Amino acid sequence: MVNFSSILGDEKCEKHLIFSGEIVLGGNFRTFLYFLGLAYCFIGLSAITARFFRSMENVVKHTRKVVEVDPVTKTEIIRYEKVWNYTIADISLLAFGTSFPQISLATIDAIQNIGKLYAGGLGPGTLVGSAAFDLFQIHAVCVVVPKAGELKKIADLGVWLVELFWSFWAYCWLYIILEVWTPNVVTLWEALLTVLQYGLLLIHAYAQDKRWPYISLPIARDDRPEDWVPEETPYFQQEAHEKVECYDEKNVDTVEIFSIYSENLTDPLYVRVPQIDEEAEISDEVKETTLEDTHLFTIWTQQFVDALRLESPESKKLNNVYLRIARIFWQLLLLPWRFLFAFVPPCQIAHGWISFICSLLFISGIAYIVTRITDLISCVTGINPYVIAFTALASGTSWPDLVASKIATERQKTADSAIANITCSNSVNIYVGIGVPWLIDTLYNFITYREPLRIQNAGGLSFSLIVFFSTSVGCITALVFRRIILGAELGGPRLWAWITSAFFTLLWIIFILLSSLKVSGFI
């Protein structure tokens, strides 16, 4: 039940974020400041996620040298093949990367509650709310992204059906744990099985992609892009190419990915990544990335210079003085984050893995601050933390998911990566985002107390799962009808695209409304 006395200010929250003097401020003013801080953290989260994507692209583009001997001529044939499979990259790097803010938040929440016999509701609430935001709101955005009349469909329906099955099963599995096998508690074996099922998802999806006999669906695959990273450059970036400082070698094509956050291509968040063509891949000198041939020290130094530089808003689109002021204000707002993230090493080092790991560390740090602020908002207002989790936190931490799917819709010829990111992220939310924190807590409780882990507000979580599952059926049904009638899941006539988008948004509102009423005690 919501604590209305706290909302009215009859009770004072004694907790503070930075200094103890915060508690003398009025409850309304403190709430405003904390929500402001939460929004600023989400801005930083989006910014570091952009850097994360850049490093992930370098990881995905990594190739290995394969030497084969022609059985007839006995000559050696050298070719280069990608280390990462298209489908596995979608499920692991893309889905895991975009879900990492929620996973970090849930893990931090679990560590803070370690040693207690119950698990906090902040992590699970955020992850279930994120799943609803991903499925409904991201589909709502992606369906209207293609140009009027343009259709983008899923090329590999078999892989999508496998991913969809494991996504739905994840939430069925969570409900079984909470309400059927061991109501309101989680055992060590249940937590361990939850994590292991992520591995089964990877194996099943890879088997479907390779069309392994007996365990794959006999569904033909249409043409799809062979590279996870698309090649075309958005039109607004082409206009800015002359302004870009050339960090890379000459005569090497480049690709700018996930640039929704800024059109400033000299921004340190958007260091240009070399896109090597097939002829260049034959050369070992081009393939081997060293400090000398990519000037990594120069790039890293330039990251700090660009972080402190304000770009003059001279653009035809910014001929209004108020828009220019807003642009400058936005750059000043991003300045601290840009300088902080300039410490992340360039993504050209070690095929992007060092930048990848450092980005995850920054994301974890921001997630920790977010958990602290959320706890304070709940303390000051009396609002159930679970409500804050599946509304504000879920929407804010799901922003990277939305950006990834939107860009994939714009850049890819098919809808595979955009929709796979949604379904796979939802699977990762349960198998990893909830499974790992529960495994940490249950293992500690088993070793220390020989007791299972009790789930706080398990009834509200179970109710949200039922609502989510019911509304999900409506969402998937709409996609199926679009495939049958229009021939594609995304795009189509503008009117029908907006109607579909409005329907998805309505499903999300229904989920938020019913779940909020349940945990607040009104249902």
Side-chain angles (χ1 to χ4, degrees):
M1 183 72 68
V2 175
N3 188 349
F4 290 101
S5 61
S6 178
I7 295 177
L8 295 175
D10 294 335
E11 296 181 5
K12 181 177 292 186
C13 177
E14 299 296 333
K15 298 180 181 179
H16 62 275
L17 179 63
I18 301 176
F19 52 90
S20 58
E22 296 172 17
I23 62 177
V24 302
L25 302 175
N28 291 335
F29 186 59
R30 289 182 69 186
T31 303
F32 170 76
L33 289 179
Y34 293 147
F35 269 111
L36 205 62
L38 195 63
Y40 195 62
C41 285
F42 290 152
I43 292 174
L45 195 61
S46 298
I48 189 58
T49 302
R51 175 63 65 86
F52 174 85
F53 280 130
R54 176 61 69 185
S55 63
M56 184 171 60
E57 289 159 17
N58 258 22
V59 173
V60 172
K61 289 186 295 185
H62 182 209
T63 60
R64 61 186 174 188
K65 181 179 179 180
V66 178
V67 180
E68 297 177 345
V69 178
D70 189 290
V72 179
T73 63
K74 304 301 180 180
T75 58
E76 289 188 349
I77 301 174
I78 300 176
R79 61 183 177 86
Y80 290 89
E81 63 179 21
K82 291 188 176 296
V83 174
W84 286 91
N85 173 267
Y86 183 98
T87 297
I88 297 301
D90 276 344
I91 299 176
S92 56
L93 294 180
L94 180 61
F96 182 81
T98 56
S99 297
F100 197 77
Q102 300 97 304
I103 295 172
S104 298
L105 192 148
T107 304
I108 292 170
D109 184 49
I111 293 175
Q112 289 178 338
N113 285 283
I114 200 168
K116 302 177 182 178
L117 293 178
Y118 64 89
L122 188 63
T126 301
L127 289 162
V128 174
S130 174
F133 185 91
D134 286 354
L135 189 64
F136 304 132
Q137 289 301 89
I138 297 181
H139 271 124
V141 171
C142 290
V143 75
V144 298
V145 166
K147 299 176 182 178
E150 183 183 8
L151 294 171
K152 294 194 176 185
K153 66 178 182 179
I154 300 173
D156 197 336
L157 278 175
V159 170
W160 179 68
L161 288 174
V162 168
E163 295 166 348
L164 187 65
F165 164 77
W166 284 99
S167 175
F168 271 83
W169 168 247
Y171 293 90
C172 293
W173 169 255
L174 188 58
Y175 184 84
I176 291 172
I177 291 177
L178 295 176
E179 296 293 336
V180 180
W181 281 357
T182 53
N184 301 329
V185 300
V186 176
T187 65
L188 176 61
W189 287 109
E190 288 172 337
L192 183 60
L193 286 174
T194 302
V195 176
L196 292 178
Q197 286 182 73
Y198 179 62
L200 295 179
L201 163 62
L202 291 172
I203 295 173
H204 193 184
Y206 183 79
Q208 180 63 41
D209 181 73
K210 295 300 182 180
R211 296 302 190 272
W212 288 358
Y214 306 113
I215 59 175
S216 62
L217 300 173
I219 301 177
R221 176 168 53 212
D222 296 333
D223 293 335
R224 71 176 186 188
E226 289 300 322
D227 293 331
W228 181 78
V229 181
E231 296 180 356
E232 52 267 55
T233 303
Y235 69 93
F236 60 79
Q237 291 184 357
Q238 293 175 0
E239 296 176 355
H241 264 213
E242 295 181 357
K243 300 180 181 179
V244 180
E245 303 225 1
C246 184
Y247 292 141
D248 303 303
E249 294 292 335
K250 295 182 179 180
N251 301 323
V252 178
D253 294 332
T254 59
V255 55
E256 288 82 16
I257 309 295
F258 301 107
S259 305
I260 188 174
Y261 306 100
S262 171
E263 296 180 11
N264 176 18
L265 298 186
T266 59
D267 192 301
L269 298 177
Y270 305 106
V271 177
R272 306 177 77 198
V273 179
Q275 177 71 28
I276 309 300
D277 57 28
E278 294 180 359
E279 294 181 0
E281 287 182 346
I282 300 177
S283 171
D284 289 338
E285 289 77 15
V286 176
K287 289 303 299 175
E288 293 296 329
T289 303
T290 63
L291 290 176
E292 291 77 19
D293 61 21
T294 55
H295 310 291
L296 293 179
F297 180 77
T298 303
I299 296 175
W300 203 344
T301 303
Q302 191 66 34
Q303 288 181 176
F304 289 93
V305 175
D306 288 340
L308 299 175
R309 179 192 302 160
L310 294 180
E311 183 186 8
S312 178
E314 297 177 359
S315 172
K316 295 180 180 179
K317 296 181 181 180
L318 297 177
N319 52 6
N320 187 297
V321 63
Y322 297 106
L323 291 178
R324 293 187 178 185
I325 293 175
R327 172 74 173 182
I328 294 175
F329 174 76
W330 179 251
Q331 292 188 55
L332 289 173
L333 199 63
L334 284 174
L335 191 62
W337 291 122
R338 291 171 57 180
F339 179 77
L340 180 63
F341 299 151
F343 285 95
V344 176
C347 57
Q348 285 87 347
I349 301 176
H351 303 293
W353 279 109
I354 297 179
S355 177
F356 184 93
I357 295 172
C358 290
S359 298
L360 293 183
L361 294 177
F362 274 105
I363 290 174
S364 299
I366 297 175
Y368 172 74
I369 298 174
V370 167
T371 59
R372 290 285 309 276
I373 295 177
T374 303
D375 182 55
L376 286 169
I377 291 175
S378 177
C379 179
V380 173
T381 63
I383 300 176
N384 192 308
Y386 186 75
V387 175
I388 302 175
F390 65 70
T391 52
L393 283 186
S395 301
T397 56
S398 294
W399 181 254
D401 290 299
L402 189 148
V403 172
S405 291
K406 179 181 180 295
I407 296 300
T409 304
E410 293 173 337
R411 304 286 300 279
Q412 294 282 10
K413 297 178 181 179
T414 69
D416 291 75
S417 291
I419 294 181
N421 178 50
I422 298 172
T423 53
C424 295
S425 292
N426 286 353
S427 298
V428 172
N429 283 347
I430 298 299
Y431 299 134
V432 180
I434 290 183
V436 170
W438 279 359
L439 183 60
I440 293 173
D441 283 344
T442 54
L443 183 61
Y444 182 88
N445 285 0
F446 178 79
I447 296 175
T448 306
Y449 308 113
R450 299 290 177 177
E451 292 285 342
L453 180 67
R454 296 185 178 91
I455 304 301
Q456 204 173 43
N457 198 14
L461 184 60
S462 300
F463 180 82
S464 295
L465 289 171
I466 295 175
V467 176
F468 173 72
F469 190 86
S470 302
T471 49
S472 297
V473 173
C475 177
I476 301 302
T477 301
L479 292 176
V480 172
F481 271 108
R482 284 182 56 87
R483 181 63 178 249
I484 295 174
I485 298 173
L486 300 177
E489 289 77 17
L490 305 180
R494 185 57 63 188
L495 176 61
W496 285 106
W498 280 108
I499 289 175
T500 307
S501 179
F503 176 67
F504 290 155
T505 301
L506 177 63
L507 292 177
W508 183 66
I509 294 174
I510 291 173
F511 169 82
I512 292 297
L513 181 62
L514 292 179
S515 298
S516 298
L517 291 175
K518 175 64 177 179
V519 298
S520 299
F522 294 108
I523 295 181

